Amino acid sequence: MEPHVFPKDRYARIPYRRCGNSGLKLPAVSLGFWQSLGEPGHEDVCRACCYEAFDHGVTHFDLANNYGPPPGNSELVVGKILCDMPRDELIVSTKAGYTMWPGPYGDWGSKKYLVASLDQSLRRLGLDYVDIFYHHRPDPDTPLEETLGTLDLIVRQGKALYAGVSNYNGQQFQAAVETIRAHDWTPLVIHQARYHMLARGVESDLMPHTRAAGTGIIAFCPLAQGILTDRYLDGLPPDSRQGRRGQAGRDWHQKLQADGTWEKVRKLNALAAGRGLTLAQMTLLWLLRHENVVSVLIGVSGVEQLRENISAVQAPPLTANELAEIETILGG
Ligand SMILES: NC(=O)c1ccc[n+]([C@@H]2O[C@H](COP(=O)([O-])OP(=O)(O)OC[C@H]3O[C@@H](n4cnc5c(N)ncnc54)[C@H](OP(=O)(O)O)[C@@H]3O)[C@@H](O)[C@H]2O)c1
């Protein structure tokens, strides 16, 4: 096969935003490999998505030790693709914090687990270092000093360039920042948080702390796993993320019907259409209205979705009127 040629104008195709007070810039849209793309049998579509993303200046690929399924498979699949891409032009992240192997050393936030997990991730990815290493979720039992001291160690060893946390609430994040300052450890440049129109807790709980600390937020599941797109408006497509769950997916769809979510999504969809946008695009623009949101971390099951989502950044920002209309729909 002919090697893929990445267009020379790729860096003009997307804006880059500074991650908090750090020197790291991320594309406004980043690509994650939690589901779909990292599954066995999806290698070709994964490669096509990596190339399509980078063609459009999407330099940031997000992974975790447990992404696949099975856990670890996304790193294996993406690792094979990264060999054919310019490493120094990419920001590759991975994480540890969820169950990876049996016993007391394969989960949460101990030094033993984090160090072993990152070494495994680097082997799967075929890399000497990742750009960002995250602690994936707070650990109620391990002292914060141990987890954060390990992130510092990993950066000093050169196995990661930057450190971040994910799923820490405002109070936990603030405690982490104070612990790091007290020890003069590597700062947290990024917080990976669930944030979309239907899950807005971070606005009041986390953002005041990340702003004050000079830490950027990258918003994961920005499309609410597909709810905030036109994917489910005509029912449950069998090939969709939820459709593939069978009865569990049907129950999920009915629950969102009963609690009025689909009605809101329909109204949002109409508002987006009136503006010449798809709902997915309007949703991403809505998140990017915050300066503290450095990037929206999307998932896709194919190149068409990726193209549609990335092109959101070409549209002008949402107006005050449009933002107010969205608030009315969400509040209603
Ligand atoms: N830190 C954490 O704890 C954590 C947790 C979850 C995720 N993440 C990160 O966030 C990334 C994104 O998560 P996510 O995949 O749930 O994000 P998402 O962007 O909210 O949802 C992605 C899904 O939405 C559907 N979709 C995307 N674009 C679409 C479009 N234009 N039109 C119609 N449907 C569209 C696709 O569903 P179909 O598959 O049905 O086509 C796709 O798989 C992950 O890959 C991971 O990197 C982090």
Side-chain angles (χ1 to χ4, degrees), residues 32-34 62 166-167 192 223 225 231 241 299 301 305 309:
F33 297 84
W34 174 36
D62 181 70
S166 180
N167 297 306
Q192 192 172 125
L223 304 172
Q225 297 201 51
R231 190 83 164 113
R241 186 179 290 187
S301 57
Q305 291 177 353
N309 299 349

Side-chain angles (χ1 to χ4, degrees), residues 306-324:
L306 181 62
R307 217 173 269 148
E308 175 186 328
N309 299 349
I310 295 173
S311 64
V313 301
Q314 305 304 335
L318 297 173
T319 63
N321 276 351
E322 287 162 342
L323 291 173

Side-chain angles (χ1 to χ4, degrees), residues 48-321:
C49 285
C50 289
Y51 287 179
E52 181 73 21
F54 192 58
D55 279 354
H56 288 86
V58 173
T59 49
H60 179 27
F61 295 167
D62 181 70
L63 294 124
N65 55 358
N66 61 337
Y67 290 178
N73 208 60
S74 293
E75 290 179 330
L76 282 174
V77 172
V78 173
K80 291 201 181 97
I81 300 165
L82 289 176
C83 312
D84 301 321
M85 298 186 74
R87 173 68 184 98
D88 291 341
E89 294 183 45
L90 291 168
I91 298 297
V92 179
S93 56
T94 194
K95 325 182 186 76
Y98 286 94
T99 311
M100 273 306 281
W101 58 88
Y105 318 119
D107 204 346
W108 294 104
S110 67
K111 183 175 189 177
K112 171 78 177 164
Y113 167 56
L114 295 180
V115 167
S117 178
L118 178 56
D119 285 346
Q120 291 183 15
S121 290
L122 291 174
R123 281 197 292 275
R124 284 191 290 265
L125 286 162
L127 297 178
D128 301 326
Y129 68 95
V130 287
D131 298 277
I132 305 170
F133 183 63
Y134 290 95
H135 185 221
H136 207 159
R137 61 168 167 173
D139 178 346
D141 297 325
T142 299
L144 208 43
E145 280 78 3
E146 179 169 336
T147 302
L148 299 170
T150 306
L151 294 186
D152 180 65
L153 171 78
I154 280 166
V155 171
R156 285 178 200 274
Q157 287 175 332
K159 292 179 185 176
L161 303 185
Y162 298 97
V165 291
S166 180
N167 297 306
Y168 280 44
N169 68 26
Q171 202 184 2
Q172 290 160 335
F173 175 77
Q174 187 57 33
V177 168
E178 284 165 19
T179 304
I180 284 170
R181 281 198 188 127
H183 293 274
D184 202 15
W185 283 337
T186 305
L188 298 172
V189 303
I190 192 161
H191 188 309
Q192 192 172 125
R194 179 186 310 277
Y195 181 33
H196 54 72
M197 284 183 194
L198 305 172
R200 300 177 65 175
V202 301
E203 289 174 358
S204 53
D205 178 55
L206 185 64
M207 278 186 182
H209 298 288
T210 49
R211 270 201 208 97
T215 299
I217 289 180
I218 182 165
F220 76 72
C221 297
L223 304 172
Q225 297 201 51
I227 297 173
L228 291 165
T229 71
D230 56 13
R231 190 83 164 113
Y232 297 102
L233 283 180
D234 298 321
L236 193 67
D239 65 340
S240 62
R241 186 179 290 187
Q242 296 298 336
R244 293 196 285 157
R245 293 173 67 219
Q247 189 55 46
R250 287 191 285 281
D251 292 346
W252 169 88
H253 198 273
Q254 270 167 13
K255 185 175 161 284
L256 297 189
Q257 177 65 37
D259 70 12
T261 300
W262 296 128
E263 201 188 320
K264 286 183 189 172
V265 173
R266 262 190 202 90
K267 288 182 186 164
L268 291 167
N269 193 49
L271 181 63
R275 163 81 194 269
L277 295 169
T278 65
L279 176 51
Q281 291 169 334
M282 186 178 81
T283 301
L284 298 177
L285 280 181
W286 181 84
L287 288 165
L288 289 166
R289 77 199 187 285
H290 283 294
E291 263 180 34
N292 198 219
V293 173
V294 58
S295 186
V296 288
L297 177 50
I298 58 166
V300 293
S301 57
V303 167
E304 288 303 316
Q305 291 177 353
L306 181 62
R307 217 173 269 148
E308 175 186 328
N309 299 349
I310 295 173
S311 64
V313 301
Q314 305 304 335
L318 297 173
T319 63
N321 276 351

